[in-house]
Amino acid sequence: MSRGRLRVAIVGAGPAGAFTAAQLRARGDRFDIDVFDRLPTPWGLLRAGVAPDHGSIKTLDETFERATFAKGCRFFGNVEVGKDLPHAELARRYHAVVYAIGAQSDKSLGIPGEDLPGSMPATAFVGWYNGHPDFRDLAPDLSHETAVVIGNGNVAADVTRILTRSVEELARTDIADHALEALRSSRVRRVVVLGRRGPAQAAFTNAELRELGRMEGVNVVVRPDEAQLDPVSTEWLSSEGTFTARRNVEVLQQFAAQPPRPGAPREIELRFLRSPVAVQGDGRAERVELVTNELYRDDAGALRARALEPAGEVVEAGLVLRSVGYQAIPLPDVPFDERRKVLPNERGRVLDAATGDRLPGIYAVGWIKRGPTGILGTNKRDAAETVACLVEDWEAGALPEPAGGDVAEVLGGHADLVTADGWRAIDAHERSTGAAASRPRTKLASREELVGVARGT
């Protein structure tokens, strides 16, 4: 039976946190919901991760607004939990705390030279062109003809498109102004995309892969020998391959067979069974050394790639972007599974890392719950599971009673706090200035600008 009003804190205002808030609110008006984010803006990767040339996806922000802030959820932006607001302080003031902090870091390659200037995570490059305040001053070097992208998933496809799409097309999107200006003078004409496994294991969605082949003024090159499947891949595709994998192979083999477009000024080369073993250069990235791989089944039957021959191939490149996955980082005083890089949990209920016991009132949702897998919509199903467990625990009387007052009392002295009204001022400003330039919005990309507009200054 109902136990009165439930006070819930959601840490992280990205899609997972937004879906959680929306689903709680959809269960009625029995909830007081506060959403926290370390950035002055909500919506996480929807704002700072989705590529600017995929603008239709970003209209989901209007749905999130209607389902959360417009229905009374409060926003505390520019507040970093664990720094500005300790976990213990949150737990003391709410029946439940839901962590939706995503996976904020990238996986490294573990090869010499990957941290040379000019070599960086693709996630940083994505943040740079999307106006993420943390990457406003990244200044990637676009003065060389060739860039290398390591990885062959959708993020790799995104950064490859941004490097090769015409500036005229990008100028009609919400790409950050500083990135647009840098790309106007870019000398990058060729992007080499490296996949350590074969074409059957490419992690692109079909739509992302096909889009590469439809870009104006861009040749997509796949070497015919690399488009063919070896016996291991043929067997794997037959026994384990998905519809997406089979369609990707078809598309890649079509790319390999097609003649180049006459006069195309830019080129994307998709390479397979190639791994970088070193990024080299005199004080900065200048070339990538590669090995050729072969696929095999390990003793457990899993598909693996191993070097077939010593390193020898070299690709000259002035920009190297690694796109080999995200990983989460721990928060102070919150349990963390160092092996899986998630909060240890059971269906979203966070567990003590040492004992495996449930921590009453502490929950996880999204990538910090399951790891960086799935698409944006996966977070909606994931949030439904966590919310169901939270409400079940509440109805069973298993949540602790808050002992503190309103968190707004603690944050009242936080000079750079951004509320839902402050975010609406930012949103209106960006849309207004964007409309004047025939763009969806022109993003503010520094904390100072964002906070200033939020405060009306």
Side-chain angles (χ1 to χ4, degrees):
M1 66 182 209
S2 174
R3 301 180 58 84
R5 298 189 67 78
L6 176 71
R7 298 175 66 180
V8 181
I10 299 172
V11 182
F19 279 127
T20 300
Q23 291 186 26
L24 280 168
R25 180 58 76 225
R27 288 174 175 255
D29 193 32
R30 302 176 294 163
F31 308 95
D32 295 321
I33 304 166
D34 292 343
V35 183
F36 299 81
D37 202 281
R38 71 181 190 88
L39 293 180
T41 56
W43 318 141
L45 288 180
L46 185 65
R47 176 182 170 91
V50 173
D53 56 350
H54 285 179
S56 61
I57 300 173
K58 298 190 179 189
T59 58
L60 185 58
D61 63 355
E62 298 171 8
T63 301
F64 286 158
E65 169 72 29
R66 291 192 299 269
T68 58
F69 304 149
K71 292 192 174 180
C73 299
R74 295 192 300 180
F75 179 56
F76 293 93
N78 213 31
V79 173
E80 187 170 353
V81 171
K83 180 181 177 182
D84 301 316
L85 190 64
H87 164 75
E89 191 71 36
L90 270 185
R92 194 168 69 86
R93 293 172 183 270
Y94 293 89
H95 291 92
V97 179
V98 182
Y99 282 99
I101 57 174
Q104 301 173 22
S105 183
D106 67 286
K107 293 181 179 178
S108 64
L109 295 167
I111 63 173
E114 71 174 302
D115 293 323
L116 282 171
S119 174
M120 65 189 70
T123 52
F125 188 72
V126 169
W128 172 74
Y129 66 62
N130 269 326
H132 191 301
D134 289 355
F135 305 105
R136 169 65 179 83
D137 299 321
L138 186 69
D141 186 351
L142 304 176
S143 65
H144 300 262
E145 183 176 314
T146 300
V148 167
V149 176
I150 302 165
N152 56 10
N154 284 350
V155 174
D158 286 346
V159 299
T160 298
R161 286 198 322 278
I162 297 303
L163 286 168
T164 54
R165 195 178 285 286
S166 74
V167 173
E168 290 73 22
E169 291 178 275
L170 292 175
R172 297 192 291 269
T173 73
D174 71 347
I175 190 170
D177 284 350
H178 60 261
L180 184 62
E181 290 309 305
L183 289 164
R184 286 189 192 281
S185 57
S186 171
R187 296 180 60 190
V188 175
R189 296 293 178 265
R190 174 175 175 248
V191 179
V192 180
V193 184
L194 304 176
R196 66 185 175 86
R197 299 196 292 178
Q201 293 81 37
F204 310 113
T205 59
N206 298 153
E208 291 270 356
L209 181 58
R210 287 195 300 267
E211 187 176 2
L212 294 179
R214 295 171 178 165
M215 294 171 62
E216 188 70 27
V218 179
N219 273 322
V220 177
V221 176
V222 178
R223 302 186 184 191
D225 59 323
E226 294 182 19
Q228 299 306 310
L229 302 187
D230 62 12
V232 175
S233 279
T234 300
E235 182 275 329
W236 177 88
L237 192 63
S238 174
S239 62
E240 300 176 39
T242 62
F243 173 81
T244 297
R246 289 190 288 272
R247 284 292 296 130
N248 277 349
V249 170
E250 293 174 10
V251 173
L252 290 165
Q253 291 179 347
Q254 290 168 8
F255 287 162
Q258 68 189 10
R261 295 175 181 172
R266 294 173 297 280
E267 178 180 288
I268 297 168
E269 185 175 0
L270 302 175
R271 301 292 308 277
F272 296 97
L273 293 171
R274 298 297 187 276
S275 289
V277 292
V279 178
Q280 302 170 341
D282 184 11
R284 60 158 295 104
E286 296 175 347
R287 68 193 73 88
V288 181
E289 188 174 15
L290 309 181
V291 294
T292 299
N293 297 328
E294 66 175 357
L295 297 179
Y296 71 100
R297 296 273 192 180
D298 66 14
D299 293 340
L303 198 68
R304 304 288 184 190
R306 63 187 171 198
L308 182 61
E309 55 192 51
E313 185 177 359
V314 172
V315 178
E316 302 289 334
L319 177 66
V320 180
L321 302 175
R322 63 177 183 267
S323 179
V324 293
Y326 294 82
Q327 65 181 28
I329 54 178
L331 277 174
D333 303 319
V334 180
F336 192 71
D337 184 332
E338 287 287 353
R339 184 179 64 83
R340 297 183 57 227
K341 304 296 184 185
V342 297
L343 301 190
N345 73 91
E346 183 180 79
R347 299 180 61 225
R349 296 179 173 103
V350 173
L351 310 175
D352 185 287
T355 66
D357 295 334
R358 289 184 187 174
L359 295 182
I362 311 300
Y363 299 86
V365 69
W367 282 1
I368 195 64
K369 170 186 173 184
R370 67 179 188 274
T373 61
I375 59 176
L376 192 146
T378 309
N379 292 301
K380 187 174 184 178
R381 298 190 297 272
D382 193 75
E385 179 181 67
T386 295
V387 166
C389 289
L390 190 159
V391 173
E392 178 183 311
D393 293 345
W394 180 42
E395 296 289 353
L399 298 183
E401 282 296 316
D406 190 343
V407 75
E409 299 169 0
V410 178
L411 296 175
H414 185 25
D416 294 335
L417 176 68
V418 176
T419 64
D421 284 340
W423 156 242
R424 292 186 184 112
I426 294 169
D427 188 44
H429 174 88
E430 292 183 340
R431 290 180 186 272
S432 175
T433 54
S438 300
R439 300 174 62 188
R441 67 171 70 233
T442 54
K443 286 181 175 176
L444 302 171
S446 75
R447 289 180 186 270
E448 292 76 12
E449 292 175 319
L450 290 162
V451 171
V453 170
R455 290 185 166 272
T457 58

